[in-house]
Amino acid sequence: MWLRVIAQAVADATDGPIMKGGRIFDDAGRRVDPRQDARDWILVADDNFLAVCDLAGVSPDLVRQAIQ
């Protein structure tokens, strides 16, 4: 399951929706960019990302390299 979470995040970060004129908003009414959110989760030192990689048995560095 955790490997699938990582695979989805990589897909979202690299092939996610490019918003052209469309708007996606969060509960607070702020505009959301799903591609950037996925990239931030992977690239920023995030304890949740590191935990998911550990549970999946995947190197966080390799995942980060996959989207750069």
Side-chain angles (χ1 to χ4, degrees):
M1 176 178 91
W2 295 113
L3 191 55
R4 181 68 181 128
V5 170
I6 294 169
Q8 185 63 56
V10 169
D12 290 349
T14 57
D15 301 323
I18 300 173
M19 298 186 323
K20 293 183 178 177
R23 301 266 191 269
I24 299 175
F25 295 94
D26 66 9
D27 292 339
R30 295 175 297 229
R31 186 172 175 186
V32 175
D33 181 347
R35 180 181 283 179
Q36 189 60 50
D37 286 348
R39 291 182 65 79
D40 289 347
W41 186 69
I42 293 169
L43 295 174
V44 176
D46 183 290
D47 289 338
N48 291 325
F49 171 71
L50 297 176
V52 169
C53 287
D54 185 49
L55 290 167
V58 174
S59 165
D61 293 331
L62 291 178
V63 176
R64 289 177 175 138
Q65 288 175 8
I67 68 164
Q68 293 180 343

